[in-house]
């Protein structure tokens, strides 16, 4: 009870705090609303005024629009009337023009018919002549073949005779050699030597004979050459006499004649043709300038004169070269022909002077350079064709002679900049047929186009090819041109017709299609080619038997022989046919020595050829009469249809019918040929085959296809049997034993009547044992069953067979897995599992899950559908328990043939102790780095253990969960953008706990690192490309510079380029880029930040789904301490599903490297720092921005809010930070838009500045210094705070208020004595006595700063003083240091004693005194020093009074003669008598040293305390001068 009361009290307190917090938030919202209303009050008034103004402007615009529309309507009506009038006029004009065209067409048709008849008659005559000429040509070729055969035979016999003779001579020579050997041996001589000498003599005689024969032949050749030269000289002299007889010629013609005579006399070689060609070819730029055109005209006239003067015979003789070398072996080598120099081939006027030729060449070069030059744009030179043409090929197809064709092409400027185009011309051989209409458009920008019209008027029926050439600013280009005539393109759709197997007596027809794809028609004729083919084969074989062995023998004998007089034999074989489509041509070139013998044996060859033809004719007759050849009067089984010949037009096809009528059993083969009248079309051949059988009974369909069948299903088909017998036959139907249990033919036996049909019923019931029973007929892989069936005919030995085909497949549906266990499922959620349903059949099957329980659902399509053959389908089974118990059930799947397939399922229902108010949370689209929040509750509804009144929490049929506090814990996955607060808690019975889920999408670090690596690679690729482009540009410039320089400068340029190559090689060696690994990219690097910014800008959205488990345990988590853990069951786990869509932000921060955290860092307390933040609208629409309110009492302030931001616009926000205490401050600023909210985190730390100074105390004493000299001292200041300190040094003597302070009365007049004035004696010159360096700067945290103080007085004074202040950030005074110093004119000084004067000098101006006077005055007058001593008298004893006087010597470069200072004190006995003790009394002080004189006093016995003791003594100092000081000792006793 106490615990319950405490819990209720705690809940009340929690509720009270919650209500107070809510009230505070409401008050805050109310104030915020009021502030917003006041802020937008003026804007609302301005908006109302703007709306009124807008409405007024809209009305005015509407009135103006109405007026404009009325004017436009009137104008449109007027235009419509004008248009109708023009349309009527155009229609009348069209009618008149159409009538005229019809009349012209009738007249033209009549004329065309007449011309067509005449043309057709001419064409037929021409075809007849050509056919006659072809026949004569073929006859000649046949005669040549026969003569060739005869020549081969005679040559073969002659070669054999020669071989026999050579062998006999060799045998005789061998016998002679043996006889000679025997004779030499008998005589006792050297056999080898004698035989060698004999062979040399024989060889020498043979060489003499050959040399004599060569001399004779050379003499004959020289005589013939001399006769040719004499004839040529006579003709040349006659032509010259003819030219002289024509009288005096003009000068230009004389120059032409002399030039051509020079060319003919000096250049009688093939180079002359090249020169003439260069004269006859006009210049490519002939139309550009008058000078070039005149040159072309001159060359044309010269060529015409030369052609007119020389006839054909003279040209042939002029081409002959009569000049022969002295030695024949020199010109037999392949030498380069003489090339005409460039000066001779240049088109320049003949007879011109050297100056004129030079001027002409320069003008021509200028002209060419002005027309054609390189095109360079942005450092890139254009290379390629400057213009593209559409189409790229000008093709005139299937033209008719006499007609005119036109084609339009479009030229497009494909260069980088402005260009022009000019027509140069067409190919030379196309000028008579092609004309170009082209209007030069002038300068054309890149991408612009112009039109060119090409007109083709054919005069001859030939294929023409060429090109059209144009000239552009950066070069010439050409467009190919092609003109093709009409042709016949004939083809067959198939070359083999297979009729298959048919029974004798049937008639089967097939069709073959002849197609003409050309534009020219022709006549065709279909005929059989069997007899012609056989004749052709016999002729060919007989020729090959006679010709080929002869050629082979000749070639083999030629290879074996080594005689130089024999020549090679070449052959060329072709086929010979009677229809003259293929020919055989064989050529054998015989040596010159055998020509006479061949002509002498011609009669013998002719006789032999006639004998050979007679033998071939006898053989053909015997073959024709042989019994193996089928008789010509037998039945023809393959015949042609009605169409065997006819006309096939252009682009048409003809169907030809082939009929097969089997009459005799066996194979039938026939070949057909389609011949055409067009001689250019070769005959087409195709083959026809077929098989005929002789059976009285046959099956109409010998292949019975049962398609696809399933096991255990009955399939039937009817088989029709036909009979050609004249009587009834008994039939017996048999099925093989292997298929007796699966297939049946009914009836088993039957009678078929004469010339009738009989029907048999086929029943097929495949069982699962079919693969084992019919193993040899069934293919297990393809599931194909092929069974031969037999029909036995009575009294017939050959049965009738037909085949039954079927593809047998199963009808099974396979469910995987066969059993599904859903496991433990809470009543708050559904469990889903996936099964696979597979169709094992090769037929599609419909299925459906029927009789489903209410807690089971199957998707998709509620468990119904169709499975294609061998298809697998995944189905989702969704189980949702309605109460806590154990489930066991079966799901039934039925197929379309009513087969059932079972699926067993198990599950355990769980009722958890806690429940979630929402198990599915769908967040709104959240921008990157934004936060979306969702709220839900964890509810504990378990308040009673009575399971009869309501459902109690338990697992299946287990124990009920106890009533009491129940704890929960959400387990959020790591690195997920989801946060749950609180993730752990306890819920009391009947209560609920508020849970807040936060979704903050961010980019993963790995993704950002990978993007950074890719960006580095892309940047390196771009740098490489730019480098290559730069190098290529530099190389081009270098090449251009190199080509433009002279030869003398090449060496220096090479020397200049060498260092650059070295540098480039070094750079290339170091420029290898290796991309870093993603893990090496640091989060604070520039690459990481740039990649993050790029991903945010290019973010397209992402959807993620998270399932968060919530573990539940009985008990209070707060009561468990230490290592004790609550007991929980994993089956009670709750699951929270989160749908988290992330989108790209509409507003991003572009400053501070895209970070949303604004860190002011450390700022001194009381100081203000302003930072600028840049935000950009990266969406595609205008955004209105709103801002949350910062803490009014806080240090942060939004200085300049922004209203609207346009797409892509940048806006600036200014935020200030002014801390008022030393601590860390943090606030958030929300930038709200319609789409998303951008949260900026503002962080800053206030720091109190602190320093440490090396000066002990508050005074920095500079000591004594000689007047008009300087002395320096250094002190350090350390920054002991954590932020950099900006300091400045201030001197009181340089203060702006110094002049006002000097107007006041001195402090010793207005107040009691004391040194309260900060500024003492100053220099007479006006310069500052004290100076400090540095004056201002910044000290980093923990660092030191050295300061140098310089003391530079200009006159003697003991009261130099100033105040130094260390000011931080221009406001706070951190340290005050008093600067003191004294100046003397001499090197010694005395310090100590009581002050006797004021520290302020008189303002009166004293007259200057000489140095001697000053020294005398100083020596005469003694300065006074007051030294007061106080003896402290105690009750028992007293403390002596002690004082000191300090004597020092100033370190200076002056007074070189005096190195130290001497001092002495007189009147010592009197002082001792009065109780004074002085040590030392005298001594010396070195430069820069100080010595102290200690004075102590103890009252003597006769001392009167009521009267102070006063004693005087003289202190003498000797340095650069002598000084005396009167020291007045005043002593008194003070009691305590």
């Amino acid at each position: 009870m106490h615990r319950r009361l405490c819990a209720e009290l705690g809940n009340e307190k929690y509720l009270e705090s919650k209500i107070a917090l809510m009230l505070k938030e409401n008050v805050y919202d109310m104030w915020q609303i009021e502030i917003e209303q006041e802020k937008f009050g003026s804007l609302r008034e301005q908006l109302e005024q703007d709306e009124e103004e807008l409405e007024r402007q809209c009305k005015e615009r509407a009135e103006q629009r109405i007026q404009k529309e009325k004017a436009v309507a009137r104008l449109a009506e007027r235009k419509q009337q004008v248009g109708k009038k023009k349309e009527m006029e155009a229609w009348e004009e069209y009618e008149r023009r159409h009538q005229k065209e019809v009349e012209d067409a009738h007249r033209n048709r009549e004329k065309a018919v007449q011309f067509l008849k005449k043309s057709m008659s001419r064409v037929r005559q021409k075809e007849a002549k050509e056919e006659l000429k072809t026949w004569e040509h073929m006859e000649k070729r046949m005669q040549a073949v026969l003569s060739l055969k005869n020549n081969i035979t005679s040559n073969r016999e002659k070669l054999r005779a020669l071989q026999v003779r050579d062998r006999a001579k060799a045998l005789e020579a061998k016998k002679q050699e043996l006889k000679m050997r025997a004779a030499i041996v008998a005589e006792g001589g050297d056999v080898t030597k004698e035989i060698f000498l004999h062979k040399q003599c024989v060889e020498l005689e043979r060489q003499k004979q050959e040399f004599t024969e060569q001399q004779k032949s050379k003499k004959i050749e020289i005589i013939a050459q001399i006769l040719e030269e004499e004839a040529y000289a006579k003709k040349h002299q006659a032509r010259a006499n003819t030219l002289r007889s024509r009288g005096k010629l003009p000068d230009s013609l004389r120059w032409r004649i002399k030039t051509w005579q020079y060319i003919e006399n000096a250049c009688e070689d093939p180079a002359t043709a090249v020169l003439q060609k260069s004269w006859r070819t006009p210049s490519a730029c002939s139309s550009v300038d008058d000078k070039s055109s005149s040159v072309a005209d001159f060359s044309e006239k010269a060529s015409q004169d030369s052609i007119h003067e020389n006839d054909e015979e003279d040209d042939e003789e002029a081409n002959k070269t009569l000049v022969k070398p002295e030695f024949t072996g020199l010109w037999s080598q392949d030498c380069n022909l003489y090339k005409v120099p460039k000066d001779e081939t240049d088109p320049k006027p003949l007879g011109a002077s050297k100056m004129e030729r030079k001027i002409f060449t320069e003008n021509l070069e200028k002209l060419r350079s002005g027309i054609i030059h390189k095109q360079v744009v942005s450092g890139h030179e254009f290379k390629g064709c400057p213009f593209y043409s559409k189409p790229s090929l000008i093709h005139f197809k299937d033209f008719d002679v006499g007609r005119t064709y036109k084609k339009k092409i479009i030229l497009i400027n494909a260069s980088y900049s402005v260009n022009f185009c000019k027509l140069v011309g067409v190919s030379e051989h196309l000028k008579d047929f092609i004309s170009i209409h082209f209007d030069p458009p002038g300068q054309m920008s890149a991408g612009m186009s112009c039109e060119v019209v090409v007109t083709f008027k054919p005069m001859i029926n030939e294929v023409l090819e060429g090109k059209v050439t144009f000239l552009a600013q950066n070069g010439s280009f050409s467009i190919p041109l092609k003109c093709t005539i009409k042709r016949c393109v004939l083809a067959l759709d198939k070359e083999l017709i297979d009729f298959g197997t048919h029974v004798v007596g049937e008639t089967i027809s097939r069709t073959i299609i002849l197609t003409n794809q050309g534009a020219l028609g022709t006549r065709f004729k279909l005929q059989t080619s069997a007899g012609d083919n056989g004749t052709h084969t016999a002729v060919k074989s007989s020729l090959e038997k006679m010709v080929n062995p002869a050629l082979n023998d000749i070639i083999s004998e030629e290879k074996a022989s080594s005689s130089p007089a024999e020549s090679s034999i070449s052959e060329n074989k072709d086929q010979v046919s009677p229809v003259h489509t293929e020919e055989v041509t064989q050529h054998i070139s015989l040596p010159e020595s055998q020509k006479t013998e061949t002509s002498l044996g011609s009669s013998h060859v002719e006789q032999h050829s006639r004998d050979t033809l007679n033998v071939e004719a006898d053989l053909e007759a015997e073959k024709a009469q042989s019994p193996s050849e089928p008789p010509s009067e037998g039945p023809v089984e393959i015949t042609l249809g009605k169409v065997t010949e006819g006309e096939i037009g252009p682009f048409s096809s003809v169907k030809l019918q082939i009929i097969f009528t089997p009459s005799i059993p066996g194979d039938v083969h026939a070949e057909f040929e389609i011949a055409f009248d067009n001689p250019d079309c070769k005959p087409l051949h195709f083959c026809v085959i077929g098989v005929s059988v002789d059976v009285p009974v046959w099956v109409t369909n010998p292949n019975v296809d049962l398609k696809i069948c399933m096991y255990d299903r009955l399939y039937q088909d009817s088989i029709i049997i036909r009979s050609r017998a004249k009587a009834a036959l008994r039939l017996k139907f048999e099925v093989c034993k292997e298929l007796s249990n699966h297939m049946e033919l009914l009836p088993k036996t039957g009678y078929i009547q004469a010339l009738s049909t009989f029907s048999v019923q086929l029943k097929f019931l495949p069982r699962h044992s079919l693969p084992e029973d019919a193993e040899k007929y069934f293919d297990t892989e393809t599931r194909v069953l092929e069974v031969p069936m037999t029909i036995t005919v009575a009294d017939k030995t050959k049965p009738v067979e037909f085949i039954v085909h079927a593809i047998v497949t199963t009808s099974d549906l396979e469910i995987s897995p066969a059993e599904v266990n859903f496991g433990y499922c809470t009543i708050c959620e559904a469990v889903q599992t996936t099964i696979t349903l597979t169709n094992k059949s090769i037929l599609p099957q419909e299925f459906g899950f029927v009789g489903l329980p209410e807690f089971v659902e199957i998707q998709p399509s509620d468990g119904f559908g169709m499975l294609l053959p061998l298809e697998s389908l995944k189905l989702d089974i969704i189980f949702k328990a309605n109460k806590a118990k154990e489930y066991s059930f079966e799901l039934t799947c039925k197929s379309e043939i009513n087969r059932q397939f079972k699926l067993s399922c198990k599950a355990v229902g769980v009722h958890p102790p806690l429940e979630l108010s929402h198990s599915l949370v769908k967040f709104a689209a959240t921008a990157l780095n934004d936060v979306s929040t969702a709220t839900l509750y964890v509810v504990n509804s378990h308040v009673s253990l009575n399971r009869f009144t309501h459902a109690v929490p338990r697992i299946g049929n287990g124990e009920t969960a106890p009533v009491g506090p129940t704890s929960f814990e959400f387990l959020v996955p790591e690195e997920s953008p989801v946060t749950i607060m609180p993730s752990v808690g306890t819920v009391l019975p009947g209560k609920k706990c508020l849970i807040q889920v936060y979704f903050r999408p961010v980019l993963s670090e790995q993704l950002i690192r990978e993007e950074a690596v890719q960006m580095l690679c892309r940047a390196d690729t771009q740098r490489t490309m730019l480098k290559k482009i730069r190098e290529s540009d530099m190389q081009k410039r270098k090449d251009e510079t190199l080509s433009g320089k002279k030869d003398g400068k090449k060496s220096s340029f090479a020397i200049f380029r060498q260092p650059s190559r070295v540098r480039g090689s070094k750079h290339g060696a170091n420029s290898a880029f290796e991309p870093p690994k993603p893990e090496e990219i640091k989060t604070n690097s520039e690459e990481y930040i740039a990649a993050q910014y790029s991903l945010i800008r290019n973010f397209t959205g992402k959807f993620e789904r998270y399932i968060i488990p919530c573990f539940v345990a009985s008990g209070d988590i707060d009561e468990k301490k230490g290592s004790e853990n609550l007991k929980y069951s994993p089956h009670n786990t709750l699951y929270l599903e989160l749908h988290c869509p992330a989108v790209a932000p509409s507003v991003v921060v572009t400053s501070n490297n895209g970070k949303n955290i604004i860190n002011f860092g450390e700022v001194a307390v009381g100081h203000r720092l302003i930072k600028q933040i840049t935000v950009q609208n990266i969406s595609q629409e205008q955004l209105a921005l709103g801002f949350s309110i910062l803490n009014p009492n806080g240090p942060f302030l939004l200085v300049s809010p922004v209203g609207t931001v346009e797409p892509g616009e940048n806006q600036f926000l200014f935020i200030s930070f002014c801390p008022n205490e030393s601590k860390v401050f943090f606030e958030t600023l929300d930038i709200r838009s319609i789409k998303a909210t951008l949260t900026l985190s503002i962080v800053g730390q206030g720091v109190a500045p602190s320093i440490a100074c090396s000066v002990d105390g508050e005074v920095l004493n500079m000591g004594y210094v000689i007047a008009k000299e300087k002395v320096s001292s250094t002190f350090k200041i350390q920054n002991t705070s954590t932020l950099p300190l900006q300091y400045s040094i201030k001197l009181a003597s340089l203060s702006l208020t110094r002049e006002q302070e000097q107007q006041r009365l001195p402090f010793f007049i207005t107040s009691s004595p004391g040194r309260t004035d900060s500024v003492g004696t100053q220099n007479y010159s006006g310069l500052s006595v004290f100076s400090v360096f540095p004056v201002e700067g910044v000290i980093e945290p923990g660092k030191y700063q050295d300061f140098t103080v310089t003391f530079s007085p200009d006159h003697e004074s003991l009261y130099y003083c100033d105040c130094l202040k260390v000011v931080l950030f221009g406001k706070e005074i951190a340290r005050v240091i008093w600067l003191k110093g004294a100046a003397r004119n001499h090197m010694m000084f005395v310090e100590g004693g009581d002050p006797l004067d004021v520290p302020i000098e008189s303002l009166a101006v004293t007259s200057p005194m000489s140095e001697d006077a000053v020294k005398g005055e100083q020596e005469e007058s003694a300065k006074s020093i007051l030294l007061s001593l106080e003896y402290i008298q105690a009750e028992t004893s007293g403390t002596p009074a002690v004082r000191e006087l300090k004597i020092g010597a100033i370190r200076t470069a002056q007074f070189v003669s005096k190195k130290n200072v001497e001092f002495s004190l007189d009147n010592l006995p009197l002082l001792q008598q009065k109780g004074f003790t002085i040590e030392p009394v005298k001594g010396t002080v070195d430069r820069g040293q100080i010595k102290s004189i200690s004075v102590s006093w103890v009252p003597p016995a006769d001392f009167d305390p009521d009267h102070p003791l006063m004693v005087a003594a003289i202190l003498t100092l000797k340095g650069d001068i002598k000084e005396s000081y009167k020291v007045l000792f005043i002593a008194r006793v003070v009691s305590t």
Side-chain angles (χ1 to χ4, degrees), residues 772-930:
E772 293 80 13
D773 296 343
E775 185 176 358
K776 64 179 180 179
Y777 303 117
F778 184 75
D779 189 353
T780 55
E781 293 183 359
T782 61
R783 301 176 180 269
V784 176
L785 177 67
E786 187 174 349
V787 182
M789 311 297 288
T790 305
I791 302 175
T792 305
V793 184
D795 302 332
K796 299 291 182 182
T797 59
K798 185 177 181 181
V800 179
E801 293 183 352
F802 66 94
I803 300 175
V804 177
H805 298 273
I807 301 175
V808 184
T809 182
T810 181
S811 61
D812 293 343
L813 295 178
E814 182 181 9
I815 301 176
S816 177
E819 184 177 355
V820 176
N821 189 358
F822 291 96
Y824 293 86
C825 176
T826 64
I827 63 174
C828 306
E829 61 190 7
V831 177
Q832 173 183 326
T833 186
T834 302
I835 64 171
T836 303
L837 184 62
T838 305
N839 182 12
K840 295 294 184 179
S841 174
I842 60 175
L843 288 175
Q845 294 193 80
E846 294 182 356
F847 69 92
F849 285 86
V850 296
L852 297 177
E854 60 181 1
F855 47 80
V856 174
E857 181 182 357
I858 299 179
Q859 293 297 333
S861 302
D862 295 328
F864 291 85
M866 174 182 285
L867 285 172
L868 296 177
L870 304 177
E871 183 188 8
S872 296
L873 179 65
K874 293 186 180 297
L875 298 175
D876 295 332
I877 302 179
I878 303 171
F879 171 74
K880 185 175 183 180
N882 48 17
K883 58 183 177 180
K885 69 173 186 177
E886 295 182 357
Y887 293 86
S888 180
F889 54 92
E890 287 186 349
L891 301 179
T892 303
C893 177
K894 283 189 176 183
S895 64
E896 60 180 341
I897 59 175
N898 204 24
R899 290 195 62 187
Q900 295 184 358
F901 304 92
K902 302 289 185 179
L903 176 63
S904 300
C905 300
K906 294 180 180 180
V908 178
V910 178
H911 190 164
L914 297 180
E915 299 176 0
L916 295 176
S917 60
H918 300 86
S919 60
L920 174 63
V921 176
K922 295 182 178 180
F923 286 100
T926 307
L928 290 177
N929 302 319
D930 197 1

Side-chain angles (χ1 to χ4, degrees), residues 985-999:
T986 302
V987 186
L988 298 176
K991 302 297 180 180
K992 59 182 180 181
C993 179
L994 177 67
I995 303 296
Q996 288 185 337
V997 184
Y998 302 95
F999 169 51

Side-chain angles (χ1 to χ4, degrees), residues 929 1003 1008 1087-1097 1153-1154:
N929 302 319
L1003 295 173
I1008 297 174
E1087 294 83 2
Y1088 185 90
I1089 296 169
Q1092 182 180 10
Y1093 188 66
S1094 175
L1095 287 175
I1096 291 176
R1097 280 184 166 275
N1153 293 327

